Amino acid sequence: MGRPEKANRRLMKTSVHSLFPIGLAGGSRRNIVEAAEKNLVEVELVHRKCLQCGFETYKPTCPKCGSRTIIQYGCPVCGRPLSLDAVCPSCKAPSSPYESTRIDLRSELYEALRRVGSPKLEAVKGVIKLMNATRTPEPLEKGILRAKYDLTVFKDGTIRFDMTNAPLTHFKPSEINISIRKLRELGYYRDFEGKPLESLDQICELKIHDIILPKTCGEYLVKVANFIDELLEKFYGLKPFYNVKNENDLIGHLVIGLAPHT
């Protein structure tokens, strides 16, 4: 881990809690709570239809009957129903999976707050418009919970924390805020000279595939873990996964390293 003082959360040009479009209704802060006070907001959203009851919505699950919905393609000019990759015979425009629509943002927001058991927040920051191919938004519940834990989302839907990756071969327990007892649980019984590990100032050889992260990253990952657990429990109806209270609970967990350019 190199230059820990430069490690920090990855932000877009402006911080965003939710990839949900609100146009210009949310003011300069793109505040969904502020936009919801205007009730109807006109935005570009995916056009979906429930095959069971015919209800049209932007959600993957029908709010009326709970069935799955499918994307409806149409002419962006005249609204004529079209198939995927078709061209409108009248307007000569290619078919589009989204349309400009008005949504009752106030009702949507308060229903989302109710589902996750959250009080009304001062600010949940959205985006002016979506850029993905189908204009599919995130559930508002995700943005509400990110705002609760002071987390921001990147344009691809991930929560990011940037660090400089540098080779590290040795460390002292006193340098990384870890106890001898915890190190022994992780398999560190001797220092680099083969002497029994007893002091926080002994030098240890870092084991293959072990990594050391800055304290600020640990604090941020605790927020991420709490966010995911509450999302699993209150939105998806599943059991929490991480159950962590502080950064010490993360020591010894498995991680996956992924280069973002791949």
Side-chain angles (χ1 to χ4, degrees), residues 241-260:
F241 181 80
Y242 292 104
N243 298 303
V244 300
K245 292 184 174 63
N246 56 58
E247 58 268 22
N248 290 327
D249 293 338
L250 296 174
I251 296 174
H253 274 267
L254 292 172
V255 298
I256 296 174
L258 178 68

Side-chain angles (χ1 to χ4, degrees), residues 5 46 51 55 57 66 87 113 131 133 159 165 194 196 240:
E5 73 282 357
V46 65
L51 292 179
F55 186 75
T57 179
V87 176
L113 288 168
M131 300 303 291
I159 299 173
N165 186 24

Side-chain angles (χ1 to χ4, degrees), residues 4-141:
E5 73 282 357
K6 296 294 288 185
N8 208 340
R9 65 172 74 188
R10 177 74 179 273
L11 300 172
M12 289 196 276
K13 288 182 179 179
T14 51
S15 60
V16 171
H17 297 128
S18 174
L19 296 178
F20 195 97
I22 55 173
L24 300 175
S28 59
R29 293 199 302 165
R30 303 175 319 285
N31 188 353
I32 295 175
V33 178
E34 181 182 331
E37 298 304 319
K38 300 172 183 177
N39 293 347
L40 295 178
V41 177
E42 188 166 341
V43 289
E44 280 185 346
L45 286 174
V46 65
H47 182 204
R48 305 181 72 100
K49 185 177 182 179
C50 176
L51 292 179
Q52 192 72 27
C53 67
F55 186 75
E56 296 184 355
T57 179
Y58 63 87
K59 299 178 180 180
T61 303
C62 178
K64 292 288 186 182
C65 69
S67 301
R68 300 294 291 177
T69 62
I70 61 169
I71 293 178
Q72 302 292 298
Y73 291 85
C75 175
V77 180
C78 67
R80 179 198 297 257
L82 298 170
S83 59
L84 176 64
D85 296 329
V87 176
C88 178
S90 303
C91 309
K92 308 303 179 186
S95 64
S96 172
Y98 56 87
E99 62 182 5
S100 182
T101 183
R102 283 188 168 191
I103 58 171
D104 186 347
L105 189 57
R106 182 183 176 88
S107 296
E108 297 279 354
L109 177 62
Y110 279 91
E111 180 62 22
L113 288 168
R114 185 193 64 78
R115 277 195 291 265
V116 296
S118 172
K120 183 180 177 181
L121 302 175
E122 181 182 341
V124 180
K125 297 181 181 179
V127 293
I128 294 175
K129 64 180 294 187
L130 294 171
M131 300 303 291
N132 63 68
T134 59
R135 303 298 193 268
T136 298
E138 281 190 321
L140 279 171
E141 290 84 349

Side-chain angles (χ1 to χ4, degrees), residues 59-257:
K59 299 178 180 180
T61 303
C62 178
K64 292 288 186 182
C65 69
S67 301
R68 300 294 291 177
T69 62
I70 61 169
I71 293 178
Q72 302 292 298
Y73 291 85
C75 175
V77 180
C78 67
R80 179 198 297 257
L82 298 170
S83 59
L84 176 64
D85 296 329
V87 176
C88 178
S90 303
C91 309
K92 308 303 179 186
S95 64
S96 172
Y98 56 87
E99 62 182 5
S100 182
T101 183
R102 283 188 168 191
I103 58 171
D104 186 347
L105 189 57
R106 182 183 176 88
S107 296
E108 297 279 354
L109 177 62
Y110 279 91
E111 180 62 22
L113 288 168
R114 185 193 64 78
R115 277 195 291 265
V116 296
S118 172
K120 183 180 177 181
L121 302 175
E122 181 182 341
V124 180
K125 297 181 181 179
V127 293
I128 294 175
K129 64 180 294 187
L130 294 171
M131 300 303 291
N132 63 68
T134 59
R135 303 298 193 268
T136 298
E138 281 190 321
L140 279 171
E141 290 84 349
K142 286 189 177 183
I144 291 167
L145 292 177
R146 284 198 198 96
K148 174 182 176 179
Y149 288 104
D150 188 27
L151 298 170
T152 57
V153 65
F154 202 62
K155 57 189 174 184
D156 59 358
T158 59
I159 299 173
R160 294 190 178 196
F161 192 94
D162 280 1
M163 296 174 287
T164 302
N165 186 24
L168 183 65
T169 60
H170 294 72
F171 69 94
K172 290 181 181 179
S174 60
E175 293 174 330
I176 63 171
N177 194 32
I178 190 171
S179 67
I180 299 297
R181 176 186 172 188
K182 190 65 179 179
L183 277 174
R184 286 178 179 155
E185 289 178 8
L186 299 176
Y188 289 88
Y189 302 109
R190 298 182 180 277
D191 67 10
F192 80 109
E193 293 179 327
K195 298 176 183 177
L197 183 58
E198 299 171 342
S199 168
L200 292 175
D201 289 318
Q202 286 176 267
I203 298 175
C204 300
E205 183 179 356
L206 190 67
K207 291 183 180 293
I208 299 296
H209 293 152
D210 277 1
I211 61 171
I212 295 173
L213 305 177
K215 184 175 175 61
T216 50
C217 178
E219 294 167 350
Y220 198 68
L221 288 177
V222 169
K223 292 181 179 181
V224 175
N226 291 335
F227 157 70
I228 292 174
D229 278 354
E230 192 164 348
L231 186 69
L232 286 171
E233 199 170 15
K234 294 184 177 179
F235 183 70
Y236 292 107
L238 301 172
K239 292 181 179 179
F241 181 80
Y242 292 104
N243 298 303
V244 300
K245 292 184 174 63
N246 56 58
E247 58 268 22
N248 290 327
D249 293 338
L250 296 174
I251 296 174
H253 274 267
L254 292 172
V255 298
I256 296 174

